[in-house]
Amino acid sequence: MQKGVDIQSPFCYNNNMNKTMKEYNMSLSDKVILTDVDGVLLDWLFSFQQWMEKHGYKTVDGAEAEYDVSKRYGLGEVEKNRLVRMFNESAWIRCLPPLRDTIKYMRKLHEDHGYVFRVISSLSDDYYAQHLRTKNLIEMFGPSLWDTFVYLDTGADKDEALEQYRGTDCYWIEDKPENADLGIELGLDSILMGHDFNANYSGSAKRVTTWKEIYEIITGN
């Protein structure tokens, strides 16, 4: 079994399931980085746009920078949620490309500095979609970087998943401003991955556009 993968659990892949969370969270900030996936590690939007075009949907003129898929494609809320879930549970989720310079600097953080990553991703509650995401991440970045994989339902809030890390001062990397701010409220060191849709962010999280910047923040180099 590869490190960090427990295919018996549909919600959380954890290679330390026998430890209590209290024991496991001790000194987390030393070597554990919490991270979202879509828009942070993988380029979800690029593949979603291709998938939407394949199904006959076009981006609304002038809405290219919109984060909300309903505004980007001129959809109702129900239709938007249906399509996002369909995509997240499709075979496409197995082959999302890395975002920007993610691979190089995540590997440097792991191999040169000993950091490991805990994924918290609002993907789907479908076991097989979760399995495909894990396979995608392991194939893209390697097996040893990963400590746990926590998968929430499509579009789910991350309040409960992050609450267990309250006050740990862990780095938390996210592209959605609300989730970055949530990390700040919980005493995490939030870093916001920059995109057009969060260009006007004015909160307390550090906003970056590359993993090189994240690497420099974490290592001080």
Side-chain angles (χ1 to χ4, degrees), residues 119-193:
V119 163
I120 301 175
S121 173
S122 297
L123 173 71
S124 167
D125 59 3
D126 182 87
Y127 173 83
Y128 295 102
Q130 297 171 3
H131 185 72
L132 290 178
R133 162 138 295 176
T134 302
K135 295 284 286 184
N136 189 187
L137 290 170
I138 289 175
E139 183 176 281
M140 194 70 62
F141 298 93
S144 65
L145 286 76
W146 311 108
D147 191 56
T148 61
F149 298 83
V150 172
Y151 297 123
L152 311 174
D153 199 9
T154 310
D157 293 334
K158 297 179 179 176
D159 301 58
E160 185 177 347
L162 287 176
E163 176 63 35
Q164 63 187 300
Y165 299 103
R166 179 186 288 273
T168 59
D169 201 35
C170 283
Y171 285 104
W172 163 232
I173 306 170
E174 170 67 77
D175 68 325
K176 188 176 180 180
E178 296 92 325
N179 289 333
D181 289 340
L182 172 63
I184 296 291
E185 294 173 16
L186 294 175
L188 305 178
D189 197 341
S190 290
I191 299 175
L192 183 71
M193 178 57 73

Side-chain angles (χ1 to χ4, degrees), residues 54 57 99 106 115 130 155 163 166 198 200 206 221:
K54 185 175 185 293
Y57 293 89
L99 183 76
M106 281 185 67
Y115 284 95
Q130 297 171 3
E163 176 63 35
R166 179 186 288 273
N198 61 30
N200 296 321
K206 305 176 185 73
N221 295 331

Side-chain angles (χ1 to χ4, degrees), residues 37-49:
V37 175
D38 297 313
V40 174
L41 306 183
L42 301 175
D43 198 342
W44 181 91
L45 184 57
F46 173 79
S47 293
F48 182 70
Q49 287 175 325

